[in-house]
Amino acid sequence: MLSLRKYDGKLRRRLGKIFCVFTVILVMALLNNHRHHVYAEEFIVQEGDSIQAVINQAAHGDVITILEGIYHENLFITKKLTVIGKDGATVDGNGKGNVITIRNVDNLSLTGLTIRNSGKRQNESGIYIEKGMNNRIENNTLVNNHFGMYIDKGINHHVENNQIYGSDAHYSSRGNGVHLFKGGDHLIESNTIEYVQDGVYFDFTKNVHVAENQISNSRYALHYMFSEQMVAEKNDISKNITGLMVMDSEHLQFFNNTIADHFHFRGFGMLIYHANNIYIEGNEIIRNSTGMSFDKAISTESVKNIIAANQVGLEFIGENEQNIFTENNFIANIVQTKISNEKMRLDNGIIGNYWDDYGKFDVTGDSIGEERYKAGSLYDQLLRSQPAWQFFFESPAVIMWSKAESMFPSIGRSDVYDELPAVEPFPLGKDMNEKKQPNKLIVVIGVFFIMIATITLVKGRKYT
Amino acid sequence: MKTKGFAFIVVILLFISACGKDQAYEPEKINPEVDVCEVCNMSVAAELFATQMIMKDGDVYKFDDLGCMIEMIETNGTIQTADIVKKYVRDVETGEWVELEKAYYVYHADIWTPMAYGVVSFATLEKAEAYISEQGIGELLNYEQLKEHQWGWE
């Protein structure tokens, strides 16, 4: 009995194995059957043809090449295709709906097209991608669409080398350059985005890498809402209302971006609002009405940034906690800091920042000033309640007052300080690569003068 | 001469007093170029979602999302609730300004609003109901129910 039962078990196991293999073969056969042919077919579309007709005809995996011409169509793609636009291939949406809708497709590639004139209502866009994964949108030009691209959910899409231009309308009636709604793991790289509402809008999105894009003349360049785990690096962000708008988000990292020329009177280089765990390193934040502004920001770290030539360099509004600044250069900001916080230490206890209005000395020779740098002034706090007093900015009375206040630091000012202020700026940005070599010309001239002096001395002596 | 001077002063006084008479507390137009939400700092670009409140002294606070206005009323210490004279929301379809207390609201987490609070306002009950049946989502709220609503910032 015992051996029989054993045998029975073996048989059952073997039968199970056979069944498994059979199922796999069956599934593969079915899949293969679904794909009508093994090799990708190529289609060529000419002006006068309908691209959509070819799309309908094409099978999964086919290649469609679109020749030069203007195609007045709204395209709808629901299968994996490789769509290649030749120079001058333009799809025109005639001002209604999405120009190209891609729904539930994986591994699609769309390159080289000019896509223009989507509808202007709600989320209508040049390219609307719904769900799917691993789609590549490269080298396209998107003009005069409401949204350039709207990526609705979906995973791991690549948006690279596209040119996105909105319209001349006021930014409040434009759509965003690239709008990401939920989903994540996307790569947005080397795009040029101009004249849209927000360059890239992250709406409940996770883990998106944004690199080397140029975003200008829009409302916000990068707008983070309820998003997390993002990296933005080497982007060139200029002439928007605000460069980085970070709201209700967490775990974001910003490396080596240039954020410049945001001079709108309500604009910021970057505004961190109600966000936490933000890491900001190596950015150049120059010529903005407010360089960096923190409002309800918790646990941020700013390292090796250049904050220069802004009207206000660093601003704290509301309640902020644990914002650490190290090795930053604060240079030539008209108002260096504007603070409303109660108490906060800015340096990390090991290294501080360079503040060009520090004006105290380093006695011990460790290039760290002996007295702490105090951010903000009583005048800032007055401005908060009496904005019109800005009129007295740099007036003799205010200067005298601020001076007196810095000597007698007890008058109810906010206490935000850098305990370890550097007396020399840190070598950052372009300076970092330039090694300080003694100027050769000076050496040559010096040697020349010494020679003349020696000769005169020697010769002069002879004659006397 | 004297009467002329007197008349002149009276006219001037009339002009000056006219300045202070503007106490209607009418909603102000939104200018997306300059108007910024008092709470979240975002520019009021999506104008149909804008709200505003007018204070006793004529100050106007504008918001990009209803949730921000309620946040300011309920958590901000810098204003006195008693000083708020009017609170306006907009009909999200027409842009018509309606007083907070008289509007009807639809809430659903998936309704897009600038700060993702998901509450949109309507001038009439019918319009709110029509919106719900059209969108297939949403919970209808009147002002009393809105007071009980659990906001994202809470």
Side-chain angles (χ1 to χ4, degrees), chain A residues 170-171 219-220 225 247 264 266, chain B residues 32-34 36 40 43 114:
Chain A
H170 188 265
Y171 63 73
R219 182 178 69 152
Y220 307 145
M225 298 281 281
M247 318 186 77
H264 190 273
R266 281 183 146 165
Chain B
E33 182 68 24
V34 284
V36 171
C40 74
S43 73

Side-chain angles (χ1 to χ4, degrees), chain A residues 34 96 101 112 121 124 129 140-141 150 159 177 208 215 231 273 279 320 378 387 389 397 406 440 448 453 459:
Chain A
H34 180 71
K96 54 176 202 272
T101 309
R121 292 178 307 133
E124 291 175 333
I129 306 176
N140 300 290
T141 306
Y150 194 103
V159 177
V208 179
I215 307 174
V231 178
Y273 171 79
Y279 186 78
N320 297 281
L378 199 57
W389 289 22
S406 69
K440 277 177 192 161
F448 179 70
K459 293 258 177 183

Side-chain angles (χ1 to χ4, degrees), chain A residues 153-444:
Chain A
K153 305 183 185 83
I155 295 165
N156 194 32
H157 296 314
H158 286 219
V159 177
E160 284 180 59
N161 274 315
N162 301 286
Q163 317 280 319
I164 303 177
Y165 304 100
S167 66
D168 295 337
H170 188 265
Y171 63 73
S172 62
S173 55
R174 301 178 202 148
N176 302 322
V178 179
H179 189 105
L180 307 168
F181 179 66
K182 296 193 175 160
D185 299 330
H186 308 302
L187 174 68
I188 316 277
E189 194 173 286
S190 304
N191 302 285
T192 304
I193 305 177
E194 284 186 282
Y195 299 100
V196 293
Q197 186 167 96
D198 298 343
V200 185
Y201 190 116
F202 307 85
D203 201 0
F204 293 95
T205 316
K206 272 187 192 168
N207 194 21
V208 179
H209 193 142
V210 183
E212 294 178 46
N213 300 284
Q214 256 187 52
I215 307 174
S216 60
N217 297 305
S218 301
R219 182 178 69 152
Y220 307 145
L222 301 178
H223 189 179
Y224 298 84
M225 298 281 281
F226 304 96
S227 291
E228 48 192 287
Q229 273 139 22
M230 305 283 188
V231 178
E233 59 180 331
K234 295 183 192 154
N235 296 289
D236 183 353
I237 293 169
S238 67
K239 301 192 188 82
N240 308 287
I241 305 296
T242 290
L244 305 179
M245 192 74 165
V246 178
M247 318 186 77
D248 298 279
S249 294
E250 55 188 29
H251 299 284
L252 312 187
Q253 294 174 305
F254 300 98
F255 298 107
N256 306 320
N257 301 287
T258 305
I259 302 161
D261 299 301
H262 299 98
F263 265 131
H264 190 273
F265 97 110
R266 281 183 146 165
F268 301 88
M270 61 165 72
L271 173 68
I272 314 284
Y273 171 79
H274 208 282
N276 63 65
N277 292 292
I278 313 291
Y279 186 78
I280 304 160
E281 185 185 317
N283 302 283
E284 285 186 24
I285 302 161
I286 47 180
R287 296 187 303 273
N288 304 292
S289 45
T290 299
M292 302 174 95
S293 182
F294 294 79
D295 185 349
K296 300 185 189 127
I298 296 167
S299 296
T300 72
E301 205 175 336
S302 304
V303 183
K304 294 182 181 165
N305 301 289
I306 299 173
I307 299 102
N310 303 290
Q311 283 171 14
V312 176
L314 172 64
E315 178 184 50
F316 286 109
I317 314 169
E319 283 158 30
N320 297 281
E321 278 170 49
Q322 295 200 4
N323 297 293
I324 302 290
F325 290 75
T326 53
E327 292 179 78
N328 300 288
N329 288 340
F330 289 87
I331 298 170
N333 299 301
I334 297 174
V335 176
Q336 190 84 295
T337 52
K338 204 168 168 183
I339 309 283
S340 70
N341 265 66
E342 300 286 299
K343 191 177 174 84
M344 193 158 57
R345 179 172 177 167
L346 297 174
D347 62 286
N348 65 355
I350 301 161
I351 195 156
N353 306 277
Y354 174 72
W355 311 85
D356 70 349
D357 60 339
Y358 174 55
K360 305 269 165 51
F361 302 103
D362 166 29
V363 185
T364 49
D366 57 359
S367 56
I368 294 170
E370 259 51 60
E371 253 179 80
R372 60 168 61 160
Y373 172 82
K374 291 197 187 90
S377 71
L378 199 57
Y379 182 55
D380 296 351
Q381 293 185 335
L382 281 175
L383 282 184
R384 195 153 287 280
S385 52
Q386 304 287 339
W389 289 22
Q390 181 69 47
F391 184 73
F392 299 106
F393 177 67
E394 294 284 282
S395 69
V398 168
I399 290 175
M400 202 166 79
W401 190 2
S402 304
K403 201 78 201 164
E405 188 201 345
S406 69
M407 289 170 173
F408 307 102
S410 56
I411 324 170
R413 65 185 288 177
S414 64
D415 202 2
V416 174
Y417 61 94
D418 182 343
E419 193 69 58
L420 304 166
V423 289
E424 294 251 353
F426 295 95
L428 300 178
K430 283 164 201 148
D431 308 346
M432 211 136 74
N433 308 322
E434 280 172 26
K435 277 180 192 158
K436 275 186 187 166
Q437 279 183 344
N439 197 330
K440 277 177 192 161
L441 191 69
I442 290 175
V443 176
V444 172

Side-chain angles (χ1 to χ4, degrees), chain A residues 33-80:
Chain A
N33 208 19
H34 180 71
R35 182 186 288 193
H36 298 286
H37 43 80
V38 180
Y39 300 105
E41 219 175 305
E42 277 201 56
F43 293 89
I44 291 176
V45 187
Q46 288 180 336
E47 187 156 23
D49 297 352
S50 154
I51 305 172
Q52 186 64 49
V54 177
I55 291 171
N56 295 344
Q57 202 186 326
H60 207 72
D62 286 349
V63 179
I64 299 178
T65 304
I66 301 169
L67 300 183
E68 187 184 341
I70 296 168
Y71 302 82
H72 292 273
E73 288 184 76
N74 299 76
L75 305 180
F76 198 78
I77 305 175
T78 52
K79 51 194 152 195
K80 180 204 158 186

Side-chain angles (χ1 to χ4, degrees), chain B residues 44-120:
Chain B
V44 189
E47 293 181 56
L48 291 174
F49 297 90
T51 65
Q52 58 178 292
M53 60 191 196
I54 304 174
M55 312 298 287
K56 214 195 253 167
D57 59 4
D59 279 0
V60 180
Y61 293 114
K62 292 174 185 167
F63 307 89
D64 65 338
D65 192 308
L66 175 59
C68 287
M69 179 160 84
I70 307 291
E71 182 176 353
M72 175 125 175
I73 296 169
E74 294 192 4
T75 66
N76 195 310
T78 59
I79 53 156
Q80 297 293 322
T81 321
D83 290 345
I84 307 169
V85 185
K86 290 272 163 99
K87 289 167 255 181
Y88 289 105
V89 297
R90 294 187 100 165
D91 185 295
V92 77
E93 281 161 354
T94 60
E96 177 196 342
W97 289 102
V98 192
E99 283 189 50
L100 181 76
E101 296 80 0
K102 292 175 187 156
Y104 290 89
Y105 303 88
V106 175
Y107 165 75
H108 191 280
D110 287 345
I111 296 175
W112 188 89
T113 71
M115 289 299 285
Y117 287 117
V119 179
V120 285

